Amino acid sequence: MADSLVIVESPAKAKTIGKYLGSKYIVKASMGHIRDLPKSQIGVDVESNFEPRYITIRGKGSVLKELKDASKKVKKVYLAADPDREGEAIAWHLAHYLEVEDTAPCRVVFNEITKQAVKDAFKTPRPINIDLVNAQQARRILDRLVGYKISPLLWKKVKKGLSAGRVQSVAVKLINDRENEIKDFVPEEYWSITTLLEAEGSQFEAKFYGVAGEKTELPNEEIVSGILKRIENAPFVVQEVKEKERLRNPSAPFITSTLQQEAARKLNFRASKTMSVAQQLYEGIELGKEGTVGLITYMRTDSTRISPVAQEEAAGYIAGKYGSEYVPESPRNYMKKKSGAQDAHEAVRPSSVLREPDSIKEYLSRDQFRLYKLVWERFVASQMASAILDTMTVDIAADDVVFRAVGSKVKFPGFMKVYIEGNDDGTTEEDKLLPPLKEGAKLNQVSIEPKQHFTQPPPRYTEARLVRTLEERGIGRPSTYAPTLETIQKRGYVALEEKKFVPTELGELVIELMEEFFPEILDVEFTAHMEDELDQVEEGTEDWVKVLDSFYQTFEKRLEVAEEEMKEIEIQDEVSDVVCEKCGEQMVYKMGRFGKFLACSGFPNCRNTKPIIKEIGVTCPKCKEGQVVERRSKKGRIFFGCDRYPECDFVSWDRPVDRLCPNCASMLVQKNTKNGPVIQCVNCDFKEEVPEKEEAPE
């Protein structure tokens, strides 16, 4: 007979924990939050200290009845929701509903769902942390006030269905600002001179550095011509050789934002997908005879702290697998406690480093395996010795013009044996070896190439770049990044084009109005300061009502002005030259979450829509008559097909190229790989690199 009831959020978590606790415990799931503010009204009494009016979430009646009935049959109720503000609030709402004293030791938290961690947590239950609850309430009420006060204004003045939000509005503004930077960008000309040199039968490249020992810019062709003339018949002589050893340290273990960024770079995951798959790994996976096991620690964290027990296990594993020289002299500490870091948690790491990814691959889905492998490798690398690189910098003189060649090779791989962090442009580091060179040695010049370049505008935000920017600026917290990115797309404020965010006309308009009437909400500093204040509420050093009151005093005045002065705006659709084949009306351009599409101007009488056909300049390889066009699947994934569809059914996920394979005359396609884009044959093993686009110098 069970004498305790344990309530968690999800059935998967309930299943895992139930196996660990045994028959004395009933484990049930609340299916997330059970109470929230009503959707139909603001639900906050501003005059009575911002008193929230919570109601039971629709559809939760049967779950609550089941929990209530179960609680009457046991002596003790434990609330084991996730270990963060949201989890604490869920526990607090459950305690109220089930009439559990929130000062009683009813709250159980664990950072990882393993047998030991769960059993240890039940030895030390604690009361509900009301400071954590207040921090969650304050955020919820703050977001409700902003959303429910500004949104009706936007509906009235601009368009039905619009919304504003604290964090989402700042995210849209960042995307808008970047787009304006790109539009205003004026390219500047610059040149480079690269020479191919030879020493002892080995060829290597050296780049122009400067004149007479001074670093020199090459702004135009005239200066380049002068330099080329100067060195026309001059011998190339090694002037100086510098060799030194350089240490390269591993990246810290993952926090929420870095996990989302790296999963985007290396696995092509959207932020929401990363969090969904991470949740599955955290809550538990059935591993055959081993049973259900939580494979990673809690994934909503901004702390890089690692428990001494996990560090010790990692050191033992690394020494056994790679040798003691791969273990650093003392355990690595990545903790630079930044303001607001939620240090109750550890970093995201495997619950046991001994559970190698390949050993459990058969039990995981493809996505689960790839994300687990990423977390496992990043953690193991973070606990390993630094890599040692031998670097060589060689200055080569022709007359008084200096060229520089830089080479490096890995002397000791250290952590690089396991994992190297990705970067946003998708390039990877490789050894660049130079031949042995001595000062005074004469070199043969094989060729010289002057090249004109133009500086490039700053890149648009990818999901990874935007998450990193929000985190660096202190906007939002680990739990908010993924939902924020989803919301701004659903509202039609931004679209994803080639995996980069582009603001829509609607997004630009809403931000323009917000900047005029609610500048604080778009102010990055102000939003970051609000996050700090919420953290202080969590720490018990700030009163949540006071935080809301100081915000609302200014906000209320802004609302009054906006109500009076905001002008009504009608958004005119851009008319295309395409005629609707169903009703004969002109079609107009609309913006969806995956970019522009065509819709009939006769809406709602005619609901015809069609994609904008984008030709890629390649004749259909199947029918030889149509053109290959870029299309989108219902989920927004780009694919390529013949514009004569349905007469011709040619389709390809990879972008076809406008020539045939030189080996077998089959179709060539461009594929994206870890090392950048490549052109390869669909039939044989022919492969070649895609020429790089010009980039601005660092």
Side-chain angles (χ1 to χ4, degrees):
M1 174 73 182
D3 57 13
S4 297
L5 169 67
V6 180
I7 304 174
V8 297
E9 296 101 320
S10 75
K13 195 172 169 183
K15 185 181 165 194
T16 310
I17 289 166
K19 285 187 176 177
Y20 296 155
L21 292 176
S23 59
K24 288 193 174 179
Y25 295 83
I26 302 169
V27 186
K28 290 195 174 290
S30 70
M31 313 299 287
H33 278 277
I34 57 156
R35 297 197 305 176
D36 197 6
L37 300 172
K39 283 186 176 176
S40 57
Q41 52 185 265
I42 195 160
V44 178
D45 188 347
V46 174
E47 304 303 318
S48 304
N49 286 336
F50 300 93
E51 184 71 35
R53 189 172 76 77
Y54 293 113
I55 61 163
T56 301
I57 294 170
R58 184 176 289 177
K60 285 292 173 84
S62 58
V63 173
L64 288 174
K65 185 181 182 306
E66 190 185 331
L67 295 177
K68 189 88 160 179
D69 292 346
S71 70
K72 288 174 182 169
K73 295 174 187 168
V74 295
K75 296 176 193 165
K76 186 87 183 148
V77 175
Y78 291 105
L79 305 167
D82 287 345
D84 57 10
R85 289 176 190 171
E86 289 301 316
E88 208 70 20
I90 289 171
W92 180 72
H93 285 298
L94 282 165
H96 274 249
Y97 178 76
L98 299 173
E99 296 167 11
V100 174
E101 281 292 324
D102 55 21
T103 52
C106 60
R107 180 80 169 110
V108 175
V109 291
F110 26 78
N111 199 42
E112 58 186 69
I113 304 177
T114 57
K115 195 168 190 175
Q116 193 59 48
V118 170
K119 291 205 160 183
D120 287 349
F122 275 87
K123 288 175 191 168
T124 55
R126 61 166 174 79
I128 286 171
N129 181 334
I130 206 67
D131 292 330
L132 266 177
V133 175
N134 286 339
Q136 190 274 345
Q137 282 199 117
R139 176 189 284 282
R140 187 79 188 90
I141 292 167
L142 195 57
D143 289 343
R144 175 56 66 105
L145 291 172
V146 171
Y148 274 54
K149 293 281 189 181
I150 299 179
S151 298
L153 253 180
L154 295 174
W155 297 353
K156 197 159 68 177
K157 308 284 188 179
V158 186
K159 183 185 173 188
K160 266 264 187 280
L162 297 186
S163 75
R166 238 169 23 90
V167 177
Q168 75 179 50
S169 297
V170 178
V172 176
K173 179 172 162 44
L174 287 171
I175 293 164
N176 269 16
D177 289 351
R178 178 55 57 91
E179 198 65 20
N180 290 334
E181 281 178 62
I182 293 167
K183 282 176 189 161
D184 297 341
F185 182 80
V186 180
E188 285 182 21
E189 181 185 12
Y190 71 99
W191 286 69
S192 65
I193 307 173
T194 306
T195 181
L196 186 63
L197 300 168
E198 189 176 54
E200 298 178 14
S202 294
Q203 293 184 352
F204 64 96
E205 283 186 350
K207 292 187 184 297
F208 171 80
Y209 176 76
V211 179
E214 294 290 316
K215 189 165 172 54
T216 311
E217 300 297 323
L218 299 173
N220 54 50
E221 192 172 7
E222 195 183 339
I223 288 172
V224 170
S225 299
I227 285 169
L228 292 175
K229 212 166 211 160
R230 223 159 155 165
I231 61 172
E232 207 165 7
N233 297 309
F236 281 75
V237 179
V238 177
Q239 190 179 56
E240 188 181 16
V241 178
K242 284 184 196 159
E243 292 186 73
K244 62 178 182 184
E245 211 174 67
R246 183 167 68 84
L247 285 184
R248 184 171 168 191
N249 297 321
S251 302
F254 284 131
I255 58 176
T256 306
S257 61
T258 53
L259 175 63
Q260 289 175 2
Q261 289 165 51
E262 197 71 336
R265 293 182 194 123
K266 290 195 168 180
L267 309 180
N268 211 12
F269 280 11
R270 304 278 305 277
S272 54
K273 181 174 181 174
T274 299
M275 296 312 284
S276 164
V277 177
Q279 185 91 33
Q280 294 160 20
L281 296 173
Y282 165 68
E283 290 187 343
I285 304 286
E286 187 76 44
L287 301 181
K289 287 178 185 171
E290 199 180 346
T292 310
V293 179
L295 293 178
I296 64 170
T297 53
Y298 192 54
M299 60 282 150
R300 291 187 182 91
T301 176
D302 47 14
S303 166
T304 50
R305 186 174 65 80
I306 295 292
S307 78
V309 174
Q311 284 195 312
E312 212 173 287
E313 186 185 67
Y317 172 83
I318 293 160
K321 180 89 175 175
Y322 302 106
S324 56
E325 69 274 23
Y326 283 87
V327 181
E329 286 180 20
S330 56
R332 291 190 180 277
N333 176 23
Y334 293 97
M335 279 306 297
K336 290 183 184 122
K337 177 102 166 87
K338 59 181 181 197
S339 159
Q342 293 174 25
D343 191 29
H345 311 145
E346 287 186 58
V348 186
R349 63 165 175 82
S351 53
S352 171
V353 79
L354 304 178
R355 224 172 262 113
E356 293 175 327
D358 284 335
S359 72
I360 57 170
K361 186 175 183 178
E362 62 183 296
Y363 305 110
L364 305 179
S365 70
R366 181 171 181 264
D367 288 340
Q368 287 170 346
F369 172 73
R370 292 166 75 210
L371 193 66
Y372 178 68
K373 188 169 186 278
L374 193 71
V375 171
W376 187 90
E377 287 177 349
R378 172 79 162 224
F379 171 66
V380 172
S382 78
Q383 303 304 304
M384 290 175 78
S386 302
I388 302 170
L389 282 77
D390 276 340
T391 61
M392 190 174 176
T393 306
V394 182
D395 284 352
I396 297 147
D399 195 82
D400 62 348
V401 176
V402 176
F403 286 79
R404 180 167 283 180
V406 179
S408 69
K409 70 168 192 270
V410 176
K411 186 178 182 180
F412 171 67
F415 74 91
M416 291 166 71
K417 207 168 178 74
V418 174
Y419 173 92
I420 300 173
E421 186 176 27
N423 53 41
D424 285 325
D425 60 14
T427 56
T428 54
E429 280 190 28
E430 290 174 16
D431 279 359
K432 284 186 181 170
L433 297 175
L434 296 179
L437 296 167
K438 288 195 171 72
E439 285 172 21
K442 285 189 178 174
L443 306 170
N444 296 326
Q445 187 190 42
V446 180
S447 63
I448 192 156
E449 185 187 16
K451 209 171 185 183
Q452 183 187 36
H453 311 261
F454 290 93
T455 54
Q456 298 292 306
R460 284 175 171 155
Y461 286 107
T462 56
E463 281 204 347
R465 274 197 184 107
L466 188 58
V467 165
R468 188 174 70 199
T469 305
L470 291 170
E471 189 213 4
E472 283 170 355
R473 299 196 178 192
I475 300 157
R477 285 294 177 261
S479 58
T480 63
Y481 301 133
T484 297
L485 302 190
E486 288 292 298
T487 302
I488 61 177
Q489 289 174 78
K490 276 184 188 159
R491 297 275 184 255
Y493 296 155
V494 301
L496 266 185
E497 286 185 6
E498 295 177 347
K499 296 184 184 169
K500 295 184 180 76
F501 284 116
V502 182
T504 62
E505 186 189 354
L506 182 61
E508 287 172 347
L509 180 64
V510 168
I511 292 302
E512 215 174 284
L513 292 170
M514 294 278 289
E515 277 183 313
E516 186 179 347
F517 294 101
F518 302 99
E520 288 91 354
I521 287 168
L522 291 184
D523 180 17
V524 169
E525 304 281 315
F526 178 82
T527 308
H529 176 65
M530 286 300 304
E531 295 290 358
D532 288 341
E533 289 199 305
L534 290 171
D535 289 336
Q536 286 162 22
V537 171
E538 180 177 321
E539 289 156 15
T541 58
E542 187 62 90
D543 178 60
W544 70 280
V545 175
K546 206 170 115 191
V547 169
L548 290 173
D549 193 48
S550 67
F551 165 78
Y552 196 72
Q553 282 176 18
T554 312
F555 182 59
E556 198 172 25
K557 288 175 192 150
R558 296 270 189 210
L559 278 167
E560 286 167 16
V561 173
E563 193 73 57
E564 288 291 313
E565 297 180 12
M566 193 184 280
K567 293 183 178 68
E568 287 193 28
I569 297 163
E570 192 181 342
I571 299 175
Q572 296 291 336
D573 288 319
E574 185 188 344
V575 181
S576 76
D577 56 3
V578 180
V579 175
C580 174
E581 68 272 21
K582 292 192 177 174
C583 72
E585 294 281 345
Q586 290 297 120
M587 298 198 88
V588 293
Y589 291 108
K590 294 275 187 187
M591 184 63 93
R593 62 185 305 188
F594 299 117
K596 279 187 175 179
F597 65 95
L598 287 165
C600 182
S601 59
F603 181 88
N605 298 326
C606 177
R607 294 175 178 268
N608 186 26
T609 61
K610 55 207 287 186
I612 294 167
I613 300 296
K614 188 173 165 187
E615 291 188 0
I616 65 166
V618 176
T619 303
C620 175
K622 188 167 185 180
C623 69
K624 306 286 191 285
E625 290 177 34
Q627 284 292 310
V628 176
V629 292
E630 191 179 285
R631 298 183 184 276
R632 279 190 185 273
S633 69
K634 283 181 181 172
K635 290 189 175 179
R637 188 176 166 191
I638 289 174
F639 69 98
F640 301 89
C642 181
D643 67 353
R644 292 180 66 244
Y645 178 84
E647 286 85 19
C648 173
D649 62 357
F650 168 76
V651 287
S652 168
W653 285 116
D654 300 311
R655 187 188 192 93
V657 176
D658 61 349
R659 55 195 168 90
L660 297 176
C661 173
N663 292 352
C664 69
S666 297
M667 181 172 79
L668 290 177
V669 293
Q670 183 173 316
K671 286 178 92 76
N672 290 319
T673 70
K674 283 183 182 177
N675 298 324
V678 296
I679 288 170
Q680 66 183 57
C681 179
V682 296
N683 184 45
C684 71
D685 57 5
F686 173 78
K687 193 183 283 187
E688 68 181 26
E689 285 183 17
V690 176
E692 286 181 30
K693 287 180 184 170
E694 292 300 337
E695 291 290 341
E698 287 295 322

